[in-house]
Amino acid sequence: LYFSVHLSVFFKRFVSGSQFAHLPRRAHRGLAKMGQGVSSKLLTLGVLAGAGAGVGGFLLLDGRLQFEKSREAKLSMLGALLEALLKVYGLDSASEDKWNDYEFVLSAVEKQGIFLGKASDALRGNVEVVLAAVHNNMRMAFPFIALDMRTPYFIREVVAESPGGSGARLIMERLKEQQSDRRSRGQPVDEVAESETVALALLDASKDNMAAVIPALDASLLADQEFILEAMESSGLGILAFEKGNFRNSLPFMREAFDVNTDVLDYASESVRAALLKELRGQ
């Protein structure tokens, strides 16, 4: 930003200098106008570079650190980048009505996902608009999403978009932010039930690659017998490879799990398998 400001001033002075005094008045005015235009562009790019460096610095410093923990700080940094990008794309003068127009906003977020931050509340909760923004830039779009994070279709699309699991982590983080926002407004929040609902949807959307979304789930869920049984029923036995309740050594758990899927014996410890088979023969 510092460099851009000084380069901008230098260029403006250069084109208005005495070395061009011999030129016709019209040519001189043209040079001056060009100088102002280039100067303005340099300043805009400087702001963009400065804001981008600030956001990038936060992200690179530690992917999950204070930038992710402080919503206010994150929105402040993103707000600076958003304003700079609006100028670059010539959208800074767009009216409020424009940002309430579906086609206009959809086109904008397809160019830069962060433009979701300028959309009306209704469109920030529109699945098509949100997915277009996420497709362009998932991390920059997520802080502005008003869509309920428990929406199954949205969850499936985001998981498909981010096979590395980053989308799953962002969904869980945004869910907690939304829960905090609702709680601050005095609205009822069932954090456990909502977290379980989203976790089950994430697992269901990633049956072929559960390992990608497991890091996004609370460890307490993976140690909860009822949750593991529900996950088995909806997403298959793959979840047993990640459970943290030592359920493979639990005969009561394996009894219930056997009713869900008889192949669960493959995951049971030798002693539990032998005990369960003995019970089954006795029936």
Side-chain angles (χ1 to χ4, degrees), residues 39-268:
S39 175
S40 175
K41 292 292 184 188
L42 286 170
L43 280 172
T44 298
L45 288 173
V47 171
L48 176 59
V55 173
F58 266 102
L59 291 174
L60 294 175
L61 185 61
D62 181 10
R64 289 174 297 202
L65 95 124
Q66 301 130 5
F67 183 74
E68 293 295 357
K69 293 177 182 176
S70 172
R71 179 160 171 75
E72 287 185 8
K74 176 164 55 175
L75 290 178
S76 176
M77 293 297 297
L78 289 178
L81 180 59
L82 171 58
E83 293 304 319
L85 282 170
L86 286 169
K87 289 182 180 179
V88 171
Y89 281 82
L91 297 176
D92 52 319
S93 59
S95 66
E96 188 175 333
D97 288 341
K98 282 286 189 182
W99 292 107
N100 196 34
D101 180 83
Y102 173 82
E103 295 296 338
F104 176 84
V105 172
L106 186 63
S107 174
V109 299
E110 285 174 346
K111 295 183 181 76
Q112 287 290 341
I114 196 174
F115 288 158
L116 186 66
K118 285 292 287 184
S120 65
D121 288 346
L123 290 177
R124 287 193 296 111
N126 179 281
V127 179
E128 287 74 21
V129 169
V130 168
L131 284 175
V134 166
H135 178 74
N136 177 271
N137 193 319
M138 186 176 296
R139 184 168 288 276
M140 292 298 181
F142 250 87
F144 301 109
I145 296 174
L147 185 70
D148 190 334
M149 290 296 107
R150 292 167 292 178
T151 307
Y153 171 68
F154 174 73
I155 290 172
R156 284 198 302 274
E157 291 298 310
V158 170
V159 169
E161 181 79 17
S162 58
S166 60
R169 288 191 290 274
L170 287 170
I171 285 174
M172 294 303 288
E173 288 168 8
R174 189 73 185 103
L175 172 67
K176 289 174 182 175
E177 288 176 353
Q178 289 181 338
Q179 290 171 338
S180 179
D181 290 342
R182 297 209 313 274
R183 195 183 307 107
S184 67
R185 292 196 297 269
Q187 297 177 354
V189 178
D190 188 339
E191 292 184 25
V192 175
E194 290 180 3
S195 296
E196 286 184 357
T197 298
V198 173
L200 288 170
L202 285 170
L203 291 171
D204 187 54
S206 59
K207 292 177 182 177
D208 297 330
N209 187 21
M210 282 190 184
V213 304
I214 289 294
L217 308 186
D218 289 339
S220 60
L221 290 176
L222 299 174
D224 183 274
Q225 178 171 313
E226 292 305 316
F227 176 79
I228 296 298
L229 287 170
E230 283 190 58
M232 279 178 49
E233 194 165 0
S234 61
S235 308
L237 296 175
I239 188 63
L240 291 174
F242 306 99
E243 59 89 2
K244 298 183 181 299
N246 197 27
F247 298 129
R248 65 190 303 272
N249 290 311
S250 170
L251 181 57
F253 172 84
M254 282 298 170
R255 283 197 194 103
E256 289 194 53
F258 187 82
D259 291 336
V260 175
N261 190 325
T262 55
D263 291 334
V264 76
L265 286 176
D266 294 337
Y267 290 84

